[in-house]
Amino acid sequence: MKILVVNPNSTKAMTDKAIAAARRVAHPDTEIVGATGTGPASIEGHYDEAMSVPGLLKEVAAAEAAGVNGIVVACFDDPGIGACREVASGPVIGLCEASVKAASLLSTSFSVVTTLPRSIPVIEHLIHGYGLTHQCRRVRSAAIPVLALEEEGSGAREKVRDEILRAIEEDNCEAVVLGCAGMADLVDWLSAETGIPVIDGVTVAVKMVEALVGAGLKTSKISGYATPNEK
């Protein structure tokens, strides 16, 4: 099968990181293809999210025309997921939905560690919509800009680790979800450092798409995700 991993922001280094994480866990017969959006350099709030959607939809439409079997939207804010599902015939999965649902299967409680404090309300809203508020102990911020994850010597990964350790101590959580696609390359190190399941949305979303496609399932087109009429 062929899966598109699309980064809605315009930072190619983050796309490359997501693709590497996806290929690390994908089945040998799964082809992972990547795409980078034309939106802002990072998505750090409602405005950035809205600005990223047109470029995201363009990449999804191109992938659909090229015959991909499923799509991973590699941003934890899950931007434009409903619209992407209208355009695509195969499964479309965002990082937040994939990772928090995985966390709910692996633990009785979890916390999320994201980048900036302004992302917290967005993620809380998503988790409520996914019906998992009762299992999410807290959404936390490591107080780092998204792009700091791409900078050598920024201390970003240590700040994320320290926030996870605080989550274990203060939230009494059993698992932690990484609330940014830019953290995908840290998951093994963070798991070893903290001793609990640390869940990265890119890898989980890829495996979920593989499972759904392998089961012969596609996005329903009968109502809510019906293919949009051309204007």
Side-chain angles (χ1 to χ4, degrees):
M1 70 181 73
K2 182 184 290 187
I3 297 175
L4 172 71
V5 176
V6 53
N7 169 21
N9 73 40
S10 58
T11 300
K12 188 176 182 299
M14 293 186 69
T15 308
D16 294 342
K17 185 183 293 186
I19 292 169
R23 287 175 176 164
R24 182 170 61 86
V25 300
H27 189 276
D29 292 336
T30 298
E31 180 184 357
I32 301 293
V33 294
T36 304
T38 56
S42 61
I43 298 174
E44 298 179 351
H46 295 94
Y47 179 84
D48 290 342
E49 180 181 335
M51 294 298 289
S52 75
V53 171
L56 169 62
L57 290 174
K58 181 179 179 181
E59 295 297 341
V60 170
E64 179 70 10
V68 302
N69 302 106
I71 295 170
V72 172
V73 178
C75 173
F76 202 81
D77 286 2
D78 289 358
I81 288 294
C84 291
R85 286 173 177 162
E86 291 184 17
V87 173
S89 56
V92 180
I93 299 183
L95 304 193
C96 182
E97 184 170 17
S99 54
V100 298
K101 288 185 176 178
S104 75
L105 299 173
L106 298 172
S107 62
T108 64
S109 63
F110 64 90
S111 288
V112 177
V113 174
T114 188
T115 49
L116 292 171
R118 68 181 301 176
S119 298
I120 292 174
V122 175
I123 295 170
E124 288 176 337
H125 179 76
L126 288 171
I127 291 171
H128 178 75
Y130 297 143
L132 290 171
T133 301
H134 65 293
Q135 281 184 262
C136 181
R137 292 289 180 260
R138 185 174 174 183
V139 180
R140 292 173 161 267
S141 164
I144 53 173
V146 171
L147 296 181
L149 294 162
E150 308 303 314
E151 298 171 3
E152 289 291 335
S154 68
R157 75 176 199 161
E158 287 79 14
K159 291 177 182 178
V160 173
R161 176 199 59 199
D162 293 347
E163 197 62 35
I164 292 174
L165 292 173
R166 280 190 285 271
I168 296 169
E169 178 68 24
E170 298 172 10
D171 305 347
N172 206 25
C173 62
E174 298 174 356
V176 163
V177 170
L178 299 178
C180 179
M183 299 176 183
D185 60 333
L186 303 180
V187 64
D188 291 339
W189 179 75
L190 290 170
S191 296
E193 287 280 303
T194 62
I196 65 169
V198 177
I199 300 164
D200 156 54
V202 175
T203 52
V204 171
V206 166
K207 298 308 289 185
M208 286 183 176
V209 170
E210 280 189 331
L212 292 171
V213 173
L217 297 171
K218 294 189 174 185
T219 299
S220 173
K221 296 297 177 181
I222 196 170
S223 183
Y225 293 140
T227 302
N229 295 322
E230 294 294 333
K231 304 296 183 184

